[in-house]
Amino acid sequence: MLAWLSDCFWHERLWFPEGLGWADLQDRDGRIYAKAHDLWVTIPLALCFLIVRHIFERVVATPLALLLGVRERVRHRATPNPALEAFFCTVTKHPAQAAVQILSKQAGVSVHQVRRWFRRRRNQDRPSKLKKFREASLITAMQVCLLTGILLSSQKPWFYDLNEMWKGFPTLTLLPSQYWYYMIELSFYISLLFSVASDVKRKDFKEQIVHHVATIMLIGFSWCLNFIRAGTLIMLLHDASDYLLESAKMFNYAGWRKTCNYIFILFAAVFFITQQCCHGSPHSWAPPGAIMYCTWVYPVTIYPPFFGYYFFNGLMLILQCLHIFWAVLILRMAIKFLPGNIVEDERSDKEETDESEEEEEEEEQGKLENGPVSNGHSALNNNHCKTE
């Protein structure tokens, strides 16, 4: 049964256009080609990344955070209360006013104390600023792969003329630099998938999971299909802006507001150029429009479509949809930035304070006593910008 499933999975008609097969990728005459079994090395490499991450966070990231002035806010822990804890874990973390009043009677405390308890309990589940700084600094450091990709690709003819991407397919000779770029990049994304349970969870958590899985499948599939040149450029584009975003987060956590804003502007520009530029001739380096043209349109002029062609481009479309989703978030952040406000990551949950709760209650009480305020503006504006 397993042998039959293996034969079906590796059937040549799924992986290659008609007339080509695995025999074309056998090493000969000193020419080496990508092999599916090469990908097994990414599992131990991913585990090594996790070990390196553990060491990096304690030896490098933590001292760097202290050097840049990352300060933790003192958090008050919620006092143990079985009734409130049960409601928090099983029903909702944000109870409505009616539920607050019922819980107040059940727990034998005031409504104000119930609200404060839930606020403090929610803060307990939020990651600390130091933890978020560590994660951002690690991803920034790992994007050194981008420099490898640039050095690898910029000297190749298919970096400038994307028609060269398919010249000689599928017998595209594997270079040692391409091998290590693929293995390191794939191992890095596998390690991110392994550590997702302990990483900072943001509002786009599900989208991040889909992105990591699709990226891993795209890298692995392009390796087996010998879409090495296309895969190298795609990885390069996807990594082109990540380190800028993580760097902006680092300075945001450290309180360097202007530096954070400037880096964010640069990140937004690079992101929209590399991920959302959908125009350009296939003879020019204009991603991802040119990249998607050369993976979707140009190949069918060379060989008839096959399953691998559709599967590869399907993964490309999934990633592009995710990039559009994130582009909307970035645009919303950019609009908030225009008046000179502090740039905040909209995906992150904001930490709550007891003082802010009291201000909100006082403002609500004032509205009840004074009636509606003209033009929809409150009499006092005590809201201050918060960072993560």
Side-chain angles (χ1 to χ4, degrees):
M1 182 65 179
L2 293 178
W4 179 79
L5 291 176
S6 178
D7 291 339
C8 292
F9 182 80
W10 296 109
H11 196 279
E12 292 181 344
R13 296 286 69 79
L14 295 178
W15 295 85
F16 297 97
E18 188 175 355
L20 299 173
W22 297 113
D24 296 299
L25 296 182
Q26 295 298 320
D27 298 343
R28 56 184 176 274
D29 301 329
R31 297 167 63 91
I32 300 177
Y33 303 100
K35 304 292 190 301
H37 59 77
D38 294 335
L39 298 178
W40 286 111
V41 75
T42 59
I43 302 300
L45 279 179
L47 297 177
C48 290
F49 271 122
L50 294 177
I51 297 174
V52 171
R53 172 178 184 166
H54 182 79
I55 298 173
F56 178 89
E57 288 182 347
R58 282 153 180 78
V59 177
V60 179
T62 300
L64 180 61
L66 298 176
L67 181 64
L68 293 178
V70 177
R71 297 289 181 266
E72 287 292 350
R73 176 179 294 170
V74 177
R75 293 183 177 181
H76 300 283
R77 296 186 63 84
T79 56
N81 190 307
L84 300 182
E85 183 70 26
F87 189 91
F88 181 89
C89 296
T90 59
V91 182
T92 180
K93 299 180 181 179
H94 300 270
Q97 179 62 27
V100 169
Q101 293 177 350
I102 295 174
L103 289 172
S104 174
K105 297 178 181 178
Q106 292 178 350
V109 296
S110 67
V111 171
H112 175 75
Q113 289 174 318
V114 172
R115 289 175 177 170
R116 175 166 291 183
W117 188 95
F118 273 90
R119 186 180 294 271
R120 291 179 175 180
R121 184 62 181 84
R122 287 193 295 267
N123 280 339
Q124 287 180 207
D125 289 348
R126 292 187 175 99
S128 66
K129 187 178 294 185
L130 180 59
K131 177 180 175 62
K132 292 188 284 188
F133 181 92
R134 286 174 175 174
E135 182 177 317
S137 61
L138 172 74
I139 297 178
T140 302
M142 295 305 299
Q143 292 302 324
V144 69
C145 294
L146 171 65
L147 301 178
T148 306
I150 293 176
L151 294 175
L152 167 68
S153 303
S154 60
Q155 300 176 0
K156 308 303 178 184
W158 38 269
F159 184 79
Y160 305 98
D161 185 356
L162 297 184
N163 287 333
E164 293 286 332
M165 186 184 299
W166 305 107
K167 189 175 182 179
F169 177 83
T171 56
L172 304 176
T173 305
L174 177 66
L175 302 175
S177 56
Q178 289 175 316
Y179 171 85
W180 285 112
Y181 185 47
Y182 254 84
M183 296 303 111
I184 292 174
E185 187 83 6
L186 183 55
S187 301
F188 174 61
Y189 276 102
I190 293 176
S191 70
L192 290 180
L193 199 60
F194 285 164
S195 62
V196 71
S198 61
D199 286 344
V200 176
K201 292 181 175 58
R202 295 183 169 86
K203 296 177 183 178
D204 62 344
F205 175 75
K206 295 180 181 179
E207 288 80 5
Q208 286 282 4
I209 294 295
V210 174
H211 176 270
H212 293 344
V213 172
T215 301
I216 290 171
M217 295 177 65
L218 184 65
I219 296 174
F221 191 77
S222 66
W223 176 267
C224 297
L225 201 59
N226 210 24
F227 279 10
I228 304 298
R229 295 175 181 176
T232 301
L233 290 180
I234 292 168
M235 289 188 295
L236 176 62
L237 294 177
H238 289 176
D239 290 340
S241 58
D242 290 350
Y243 68 98
L244 292 172
L245 176 61
E246 301 303 326
S247 299
K249 290 180 184 178
M250 291 171 58
F251 287 106
N252 181 38
Y253 303 145
W256 295 33
R257 307 298 170 76
K258 290 185 178 180
T259 305
C260 167
N261 291 345
Y262 293 145
I263 296 178
F264 176 80
I265 293 173
L266 181 60
F267 155 73
V270 174
F271 181 88
F272 278 97
I273 290 174
T274 57
Q275 308 298 339
Q276 302 301 322
C277 178
C278 297
H279 301 281
S281 165
H283 298 282
S284 63
W285 201 82
I291 292 291
M292 294 193 69
Y293 179 93
C294 279
T295 61
W296 188 272
V297 178
Y298 185 73
V300 297
T301 65
I302 305 174
Y303 50 79
F306 59 104
F307 174 79
Y309 161 84
Y310 290 114
F311 186 76
F312 180 86
N313 284 287
L315 294 174
M316 287 278 289
L317 289 176
I318 291 175
L319 292 179
Q320 187 63 16
C321 290
L322 290 173
H323 293 154
I324 294 174
F325 167 76
W326 283 315
V328 174
L329 295 182
I330 294 171
L331 186 60
R332 289 170 58 182
M333 294 167 64
I335 292 174
K336 292 181 178 179
F337 171 79
L338 291 177
N341 296 327
I342 300 299
V343 176
E344 298 179 356
D345 190 350
E346 291 209 354
R347 304 172 302 162
S348 298
D349 201 7
K350 304 300 184 298
E351 186 171 346
E352 300 166 288
T353 64
D354 295 336
E355 291 77 9
S356 61
E357 182 187 58
E358 292 170 357
E359 292 173 358
E360 291 172 3
E361 291 179 352
E362 291 175 359
E363 184 177 340
E364 291 178 1
Q365 184 66 25
K367 288 181 180 179
L368 292 175
E369 294 176 355
N370 301 327
V373 181
S374 61
N375 298 328
H377 297 286
S378 59
L380 295 175
N381 182 11
N382 294 324
N383 295 325
H384 301 281
C385 293
K386 302 176 186 176
T387 57
E388 289 185 87

